[in-house]
């Protein structure tokens, strides 16, 4: 059978080491689907229910594996649906290739059905590479270029294929052009060695760090494979380790050197530490929330990042090191002077112990309605030591940040910089596909789950034993509290009755489903769900009036909170009762 362009694409993906494409067919990619069919023994196509989920799955796959994620969608609306998940990949710096369809070249420009110029539509999100293929002779060369750019720039590449090009004979040249040349016969997969730091940069960094008295480390997901090195450098410097939310898995949460997260979902000790330190070592992060970082002029800054364009974005940098985090820290460690004065570290270790005790006190099993902190703590207690937790954006991220403990080989993923709703479930599907032997748990809100809940059926159909825990407050909880913090009463953020029973949906799909309203039933239901051999879901009703309080409440936040109540905040008595109960539990800890 003559090879068509669709098959040339699929075959070359396999040669690059791609084993999975997430997507949804359509008449705009029938030629590509035929190519995938011809390579089905080597290239798995995971059929989804919504293209947004396909892009999230490709992004989650890339985040968890470090490899290229690939998604495919038809022309017009299918390509449009991919965008949210692709922006998640771009903003969190992971390599994803998006493949879309296009109308036949003969009708382009004639206002044809579903004629959307995807290269123009994608010109912002596909900043690694973006092209419409118009000649079979361009393949597989442009695919190689697109993949290289996605991997090198850790971002999104996009190729759009018109229908007539997809089914054309591979190598055909309808325009009698000069051939671009044959691609290499060998596999294009090349292992890229880590980038080392220069001695000049290292010497400057060591000079700044050795001169510091109150040193703090801020580590992000760019340091996820450098746990031992991060801990060794922190030990030498007598430095507490603060973690970004995306970098939560870099070091264990119960390690004595860490004070936990930073930002709205972070800890009080981490925030106070940033207000006091005179030297800051940033590794693998360009932390976007400048108000939580040291004031300009307060601290000297050393920043290590593989991407030079991300250095110095938030604070003036005294020493910039462009290198792989693990390798740079290995090189830097022998140049550091070990600290004997550990008073600064010791004080924040005491404060961290007190903070952890406060968080444990909020995990109250006697609360009715169920405290979301208790739900998160039950998941934490029941999960394996190498479990992968995926999470949505919203209040759910607060409970995961503070009550999901990184220990052993545990991992944690969410939409970091885009902070979009709905990736938790498709992330879990993709990561379970990539790691079939590991426990994968999606800890999601009812709002995010409802957006892409059909993908639970995808998990059932592909026999992926994901576990989904729904923190169900029947509202858009984070938006609710954001309205209040602005000083206005909440509006249009709670759903009317009846409340959804997502457990019934799980059972209808052929999975395990349990609806929990009584805290006494929660631990047992979670154990059953985690032990179930297939996909399982626990839908837990939690207190909708539980506020995701910041680590350190500012005066303006308290002022606006009060103003909202004075202006007629609904459910104010229930909210005040919840806040009072939280404070009583903290005082008892």
């Amino acid at each position: 059978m003559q090879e068509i362009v669709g098959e040339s694409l699929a075959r070359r993906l396999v040669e690059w080491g791609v084993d999975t494409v997430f997507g949804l067919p359509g008449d705009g990619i029938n030629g590509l689907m035929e190519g995938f069919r011809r390579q089905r023994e080597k290239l798995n196509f995971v059929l989804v229910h919504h293209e947004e989920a396909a892009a999230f799955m490709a992004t989650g796959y890339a985040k968890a594996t470090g490899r290229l994620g690939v998604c495919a969608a038809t022309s017009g609306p299918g390509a449009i649906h991919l965008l949210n998940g692709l922006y998640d990949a771009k903003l969190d710096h992971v390599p994803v290739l998006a493949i879309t369809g296009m109308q036949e070249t003969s009708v382009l420009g004639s206002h044809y059905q579903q004629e959307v110029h995807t290269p123009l539509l994608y010109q912002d999100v596909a900043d690694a590479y973006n092209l419409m293929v118009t000649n079979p002779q361009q393949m597989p060369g442009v695919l190689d270029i697109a993949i290289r750019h996605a991997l090198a720039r850790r971002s999104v590449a996009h190729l759009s294929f018109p229908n007539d090009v997809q089914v054309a004979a591979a190598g055909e040249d309808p325009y009698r052009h000069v051939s671009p040349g044959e691609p290499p016969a060998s596999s294009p997969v090349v292992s890229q060695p880590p980038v080392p730091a220069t001695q000049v940069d290292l010497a400057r960094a060591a000079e700044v760090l050795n001169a510091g008295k109150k040193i703090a480390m801020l580590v992000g997901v760019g340091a996820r494979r450098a746990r031992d090195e991060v801990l060794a450098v922190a030990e030498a410097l007598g430095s507490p380790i603060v973690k970004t939310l995306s970098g939560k898995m870099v070091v264990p949460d119960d390690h004595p050197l860490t004070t936990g997260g930073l930002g709205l979902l972070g800890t009080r000790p981490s925030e106070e530490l940033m207000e006091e330190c005179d030297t800051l070592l940033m590794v693998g992060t360009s932390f976007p929330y400048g108000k939580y970082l040291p004031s300009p002029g307060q601290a000297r800054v050393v920043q290590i990042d593989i991407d030079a364009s991300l250095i110095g974005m938030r604070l003036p940098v005294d020493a910039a090191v462009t290198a792989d985090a693990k390798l740079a820290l290995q090189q830097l460690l022998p140049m550091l002077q070990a600290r004997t004065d550990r008073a600064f570290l010791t004080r924040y270790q005491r404060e961290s112990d007190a903070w952890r005790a406060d968080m444990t006190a909020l995990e109250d099993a006697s609360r009715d309605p169920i405290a979301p902190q208790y739900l998160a703590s039950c998941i934490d207690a029941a999960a394996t030591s190498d479990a992968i937790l995926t999470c949505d954006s919203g209040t759910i991220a607060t409970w995961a940040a503070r009550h999901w403990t990184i220990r052993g080989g545990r991992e944690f993923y969410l939409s970091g910089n885009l902070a979009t709703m709905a990736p938790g479930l498709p992330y879990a599907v993709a990561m379970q596909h990539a790691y079939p032997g590991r426990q994968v748990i999606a800890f999601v809100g009812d709002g995010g789950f409802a957006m892409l809940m059909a993908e639970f059926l995808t998990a059932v159909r592909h026999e992926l034993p994901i576990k989904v825990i729904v923190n169900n407050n029947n509202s858009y909880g984070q938006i609710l509290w954001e309205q209040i913090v602005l000083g206005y009463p909440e509006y249009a953020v709670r759903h009317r009755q009846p409340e959804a029973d997502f457990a019934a949906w799980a059972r209808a799909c052929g999975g395990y489903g349990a609806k929990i309203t009584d805290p006494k039933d929660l631990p047992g239901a979670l154990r059953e769900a985690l032990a179930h051999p297939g996909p399982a879901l626990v839908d837990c009703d939690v207190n909708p009036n539980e506020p995701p309080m910041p680590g350190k409440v500012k005066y303006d936040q308290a002022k606006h909170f009060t103003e909202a109540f004075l202006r007629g905040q609904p459910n104010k008595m229930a909210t005040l009762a919840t806040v009072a109960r939280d404070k009583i539990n903290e005082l008892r800890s």
Side-chain angles (χ1 to χ4, degrees):
M1 186 181 298
Q2 185 181 45
E3 183 177 76
I4 60 174
V5 168
E7 184 177 6
S8 172
L9 168 72
R11 180 172 53 79
R12 195 61 169 173
L13 287 173
V14 171
E15 290 172 353
W16 271 97
V18 174
D19 58 17
T20 303
V21 176
F22 303 96
L24 184 61
D27 62 355
I29 56 170
N30 278 339
L32 301 183
M33 293 304 301
E34 171 59 14
F36 295 151
R37 185 191 70 83
R38 294 184 187 183
Q39 292 290 320
R40 63 190 180 278
E41 306 258 334
K42 300 175 182 176
L43 188 64
N44 187 25
F45 187 86
V46 176
L47 175 62
V48 303
H49 289 273
H50 195 288
E51 292 91 351
E52 182 181 6
F56 279 137
M57 289 179 191
T59 300
Y61 182 93
K63 286 184 176 183
T65 66
R67 298 166 59 193
L68 180 74
V70 182
C71 56
T74 191
S75 54
I80 294 169
H81 284 160
L82 288 177
L83 283 172
N84 196 44
L86 295 180
Y87 270 106
D88 185 32
K90 176 187 174 180
L91 269 62
D92 280 354
H93 309 290
V94 294
V96 167
L97 173 65
I99 304 168
T100 64
M102 177 65 69
Q103 279 62 35
E104 286 82 355
T105 56
S106 60
V107 300
L108 292 179
S110 67
H111 302 284
Y112 201 73
Q113 183 189 34
Q114 295 187 342
E115 185 183 348
V116 175
H117 198 325
T118 48
L120 284 178
L121 179 70
Y122 278 39
Q123 65 183 357
D124 179 57
V125 70
D127 60 346
Y129 193 77
N130 184 23
L131 181 72
M132 181 170 70
V133 179
T134 55
N135 189 323
Q137 289 274 307
Q138 292 173 275
M139 282 291 294
V142 293
L143 176 63
D144 291 354
I145 297 169
I147 292 176
R148 287 193 186 101
H149 278 67
L151 293 171
R153 299 183 182 181
R154 295 180 300 141
S155 193
V156 176
H158 167 240
L159 291 176
S160 183
F161 291 84
N163 281 331
D164 51 332
V165 175
Q166 296 173 32
V167 298
E172 178 181 301
D173 184 8
Y175 307 112
R176 304 279 195 275
H177 285 143
V178 176
S179 172
E182 291 295 321
S186 59
S187 171
V189 179
V190 178
S191 59
Q192 187 173 7
V195 178
T198 68
Q199 287 303 309
V200 172
D201 290 346
L202 289 169
R204 178 60 179 159
E207 177 188 349
V208 173
L209 294 171
N210 287 333
K213 303 299 182 186
K214 298 178 178 179
I215 306 172
M217 288 184 71
L218 176 61
V219 300
V221 70
R224 62 170 292 193
R225 305 195 189 282
R227 174 181 291 183
D228 291 343
E229 290 75 15
V230 166
L231 292 172
V233 168
E235 183 66 35
L237 295 173
S239 167
I241 301 168
V242 180
K243 303 187 289 184
T244 68
L245 183 58
S246 295
K248 180 177 171 63
M249 64 180 129
V250 174
V251 299
D253 282 309
D254 55 1
H255 196 282
L257 286 174
T258 187
T259 57
L262 183 66
L264 187 64
L265 283 59
T267 73
R268 184 176 57 252
S270 290
E271 193 167 340
E272 292 176 347
L273 173 61
M274 287 293 160
E275 295 170 352
E276 186 180 354
C277 68
D278 63 22
T279 307
L280 177 63
L281 172 56
M282 299 175 66
V283 185
T285 180
S286 59
F287 190 74
Y289 309 108
K291 67 179 181 179
Y292 291 100
L293 295 173
S295 303
Q298 170 197 323
R300 302 176 75 191
V301 179
V302 175
Q303 187 172 355
I304 300 173
D305 204 291
I306 192 69
D307 187 344
S309 70
L310 300 177
I311 294 178
M313 294 185 71
R314 314 300 171 199
L315 290 171
V317 171
D318 296 88
V321 180
T322 303
D324 171 78
K326 184 181 183 73
L327 190 53
L329 292 175
Q330 288 175 350
Q331 294 175 278
L332 183 62
L333 183 59
M335 306 171 70
L336 300 176
Q337 299 170 2
R339 301 305 166 100
T340 56
D341 182 358
R342 305 176 78 80
F344 183 66
L345 171 62
T346 301
R347 176 155 60 85
Y348 279 100
Q349 287 176 324
R350 288 197 299 266
E351 293 198 16
S352 293
D353 289 342
W355 169 267
R356 292 182 184 115
D358 287 345
M359 292 302 100
T360 300
L362 298 178
E363 300 166 357
D364 187 348
S366 67
R367 298 269 288 273
D368 190 5
I370 297 169
Q373 298 96 323
Y374 177 59
L375 170 59
S377 71
C378 287
I379 299 169
D380 183 62
T384 61
S385 62
D386 69 340
I388 297 173
L389 187 78
T390 69
C391 184
D392 276 348
S393 298
T395 56
I396 192 79
T398 301
W399 317 133
R402 294 177 177 171
H403 302 276
W404 170 254
T405 306
I406 295 297
R407 57 176 177 266
R410 284 185 174 183
E411 297 179 22
F412 173 72
Y413 298 94
L414 82 172
S415 174
N417 287 301
L418 185 60
T420 180
M421 295 178 67
L425 174 60
Y427 273 14
V429 170
M431 293 175 190
Q432 189 74 83
H433 174 78
Y435 298 109
R438 293 181 67 177
Q439 187 181 74
V440 179
I441 303 170
F443 183 37
V444 297
D446 55 295
F449 180 75
M451 289 180 174
L452 293 173
M453 59 189 285
E455 304 310 332
F456 186 85
L457 187 53
T458 300
V460 173
R461 286 171 170 161
H462 286 268
E463 299 181 338
L464 298 170
I466 63 169
K467 314 304 174 188
V468 180
I469 316 300
V470 182
N471 182 88
N472 194 338
N473 55 20
N474 203 37
S475 66
Y476 297 106
Q478 188 69 33
I479 304 169
L480 184 161
W481 295 105
E482 287 168 347
Q483 289 179 352
I484 293 175
V485 168
L486 281 175
Y488 302 118
E490 67 175 73
Y491 179 69
V493 288
R494 297 185 196 246
H495 288 293
R496 298 177 181 178
Q497 295 297 321
E499 185 171 316
D501 183 355
F502 296 114
W505 165 247
R507 292 192 296 271
C509 292
Y512 172 97
K515 179 70 169 178
I516 302 299
T517 58
D518 188 329
K520 294 192 297 294
D521 299 331
L522 180 57
L526 286 175
R527 286 193 297 270
E528 287 184 17
L530 293 177
H532 184 72
L537 182 147
V538 175
D539 181 6
C540 182
D541 288 355
V542 299
N543 186 356
N545 300 304
E546 182 70 47
M549 299 297 284
K552 187 175 181 181
V553 179
K554 301 289 197 299
Y555 169 78
D556 284 347
Q557 292 170 325
K559 176 174 175 286
H560 292 156
F561 188 87
T562 303
E563 288 172 349
F565 276 66
L566 293 175
R567 288 171 176 164
Q569 163 64 19
N571 307 291
K572 59 185 176 184
M573 295 310 296
T575 301
L576 290 172
T578 299
V579 173
R581 183 66 179 272
D582 285 348
K583 186 53 63 178
I584 290 170
N585 282 354
E586 287 181 14
L587 293 172
R588 286 175 175 171
S589 67

